[in-house]
Amino acid sequence: MSSEAHDIIDLIRTKRDHGTLTTSQIDWMIDAYTRGYVEDSQMAAMAMAILLNGMGRPEIRDLTLAMIASGETMNFDALGKTTVDKHSTGGVGDKITLPLMPLVASFGVAVPQLSGRGLGHTGGTLDKLESIPGWRASLTNEEMFAQLRDVGGVICAAGSGLAPADKKLYALRDITGTVEAIPLIASSIMSKKIAEGTQALVLDVKFGSGAFMQDIAKSRELAQTMVDLGNDAGVRTSALLTDMHRPLGLAIGNANEVRESIEVLAGGGPADVVELTIALAREMLTLAGIPDADVEGALASGQAMDTWRKVIRAQGGDPDAALPVARETHVVHAERSGVLLEQLALPFGIAAWRLGAGRARASDPVQHAAGIDLHAKAGDAVVAGQPLFTLSADEPSRFARALEALEGAYAIGDASEYVSRGPLVAERIS
Ligand code: URA
């Protein structure tokens, strides 16, 4: 425990009364909480005080550094390559890591992508990749290092040794209504990313119906807080604010999102997925010192696909194996002709989750073939009777609850009623 001891009740009162915590107090609190000396009930009161009263920039920095110090840190300097990573705050149909990692790695930089599993309506990269027969998410630090050296990219589960204080605090926030506090979100994400040892980091901070932060002003504040934390810690960090009002691409699920990612790596795929993949790849390669890389060319020529195949093989997967297909499908058709006016990300995410693509508890399994395939995007002209989307599940009993989630989530009207959204990539923050 840190040399100077404090009283957690005094610290809670300080934050409750709009005071400022010192570096020594924050170091002590996080260390004492990790060791179990400060109890969950006390830390829950502190998290609520932070949610209500906020934290100043020095406090957020101290909290992040204390959570990093609670566990191990990784270091890839011996690779002799620039390391660059991406983190997304999560959304519906957000499979961008899958085409992005091999695309960026194909330019000779190392991409250590430590990823998570899905919880609630947003999917997890590891769940998606586990649709590929044989693919393995858990690697030792030595395997990870060797793969970064030999292939350039890796997507694997973060070891439990990185920022254990965050793991404990995040689980507590999840059950105490204290997830949505910018100082807590920013320190949680950045403690893990800084501990991972990447030299550069691009953040994809979402706003809109399917995102953590509905509102662009809040996501801007979160992005700026994280960018400052990264740069202060010596990690070259920038962020793109991107629209998550509507699902990304046409596939929402696991195996179907892998299929769509492979289409992008083959030079095709939905325009929005391609646009965001290219924007994030440019940003990552710029931070890695290769600002004029021919990113589109690497997709068109198969250069990125070659790296994808090597990464999947290196982790035990068969890039040519057939992906799982659901036992049952249910197609929803257009009730009238017109224009698809809206497609709200959150209800589509909830529907895919109810079909079995996501989990309610961390220990639940996911059904890899469950999900939704859209056949039209908002703004498209549709004719009465044409398929709008297909639900897939292993048990047909899941369709009713998924359809319930989709009530009011989409609408067809006249072309004059259609309101287009702003650009997918709304802002860049550095
Ligand atoms: N993801 C995290 O890792 N932490 C948060 O607080 C929110 C999202």
Side-chain angles (χ1 to χ4, degrees):
M1 201 174 291
S2 355
S3 48
E4 196 185 343
H6 297 273
D7 181 346
I8 187 64
I9 304 169
D10 284 346
L11 271 52
I12 295 167
R13 287 196 185 112
T14 300
K15 211 63 240 171
R16 181 196 67 189
D17 298 340
H18 299 267
T20 301
L21 299 176
T22 65
T23 304
S24 161
Q25 287 172 328
I26 291 175
D27 283 352
W28 174 85
M29 174 176 78
I30 294 301
D31 185 53
Y33 179 56
T34 310
R35 291 165 187 269
Y37 178 71
V38 165
E39 293 175 10
D40 271 349
S41 55
Q42 296 172 312
M43 203 61 197
M46 175 60 82
M48 186 57 82
I50 293 172
L51 181 135
L52 295 173
N53 297 333
M55 274 184 142
R57 183 167 162 174
E59 288 176 296
I60 302 174
R61 185 203 56 219
D62 289 343
L63 182 59
T64 308
L65 295 178
M67 293 205 290
I68 294 170
S70 72
E72 65 180 25
T73 51
M74 299 177 80
N75 187 318
F76 296 113
D77 290 353
L79 280 174
K81 295 184 188 184
T82 304
T83 46
V84 58
D85 192 5
K86 186 250 349 180
H87 178 83
S88 158
T89 56
V92 176
D94 184 4
K95 70 280 294 173
I96 301 294
T97 296
L98 274 58
L100 181 65
M101 177 277 297
L103 173 58
V104 173
S106 76
F107 287 93
V109 300
V111 188
Q113 187 78 63
L114 300 190
S115 300
R117 295 182 188 281
L119 195 60
H121 75 277
T122 58
T125 298
L126 302 180
D127 295 326
K128 299 180 208 295
L129 282 166
E130 280 174 348
S131 319
I132 301 174
W135 188 85
R136 172 165 79 85
S138 294
L139 299 183
T140 62
N141 287 357
E142 292 71 31
E143 285 174 319
M144 204 178 152
F145 192 90
Q147 190 171 321
L148 284 172
R149 184 193 57 214
D150 301 341
V151 185
V154 66
I155 300 180
C156 64
S160 55
L162 286 184
D166 170 64
K167 214 179 189 111
K168 211 173 157 189
L169 181 55
Y170 190 54
L172 182 70
R173 288 165 54 211
D174 209 22
I175 55 166
T176 56
T178 52
V179 168
E180 301 88 350
I182 286 179
L184 297 177
I185 299 172
S187 57
S188 166
I189 292 173
M190 293 306 289
S191 62
K192 286 171 285 199
K193 288 290 156 189
I194 297 167
E196 169 197 301
T198 187
Q199 291 162 350
L201 174 67
V202 175
L203 299 159
D204 178 3
V205 181
K206 309 283 191 193
F207 61 92
S209 97
F212 236 170
M213 304 276 164
Q214 309 280 302
D215 172 62
I216 192 165
K218 282 261 178 241
S219 51
R220 187 182 296 122
E221 188 185 337
L222 174 63
Q224 191 68 61
T225 306
M226 294 196 289
V227 166
D228 291 346
L229 281 173
N231 287 318
D232 286 354
V235 179
R236 294 191 296 282
T237 309
S238 65
L240 300 184
L241 296 190
T242 72
D243 194 334
M244 187 27 78
H245 194 74
R246 294 170 178 161
L248 257 179
L250 295 167
I252 308 162
N254 294 298
N256 60 347
E257 292 201 29
V258 173
R259 250 178 236 117
E260 188 167 276
S261 303
I262 292 171
E263 282 168 31
V264 173
L265 287 163
D272 56 351
V273 179
V274 175
E275 180 187 342
L276 190 51
T277 303
I278 287 175
L280 287 164
R282 285 229 173 85
E283 194 63 34
M284 290 170 79
L285 288 162
T286 300
L287 292 188
I290 319 176
D292 43 16
D294 180 10
V295 173
E296 284 98 335
L299 287 175
S301 68
Q303 172 184 315
M305 178 72 98
D306 286 347
T307 304
W308 161 263
R309 295 174 63 82
K310 285 182 195 155
V311 169
I312 297 303
R313 273 210 194 89
Q315 289 179 237
D318 175 358
D320 298 313
L323 294 169
V325 176
R327 281 197 285 273
E328 308 286 340
T329 55
H330 176 95
V331 182
V332 173
H333 298 91
E335 283 169 11
R336 56 163 281 190
S337 297
V339 165
L340 188 55
L341 299 177
E342 193 48 276
Q343 238 169 2
L344 290 173
L346 179 62
F348 276 92
I350 292 171
W353 174 37
R354 290 184 178 175
L355 290 168
R359 54 169 70 77
R361 284 169 309 177
S363 54
D364 290 346
V366 300
Q367 295 182 7
H368 290 112
I372 305 177
D373 288 288
L374 307 175
H375 306 303
K377 296 272 279 180
D380 287 352
V382 295
V383 289
Q386 83 163 68
L388 280 185
F389 51 88
T390 301
L391 310 182
S392 302
D394 286 336
E395 300 113 28
S397 58
R398 290 181 176 264
F399 291 139
R401 293 257 299 136
L403 289 167
E404 227 173 75
L406 289 168
E407 275 167 28
Y410 59 96
I412 299 172
D414 298 332
S416 58
E417 294 175 85
Y418 180 69
V419 182
S420 65
R421 305 240 355 129
L424 180 59
V425 179
E427 283 176 36
R428 174 178 187 275
I429 303 223
S430 60

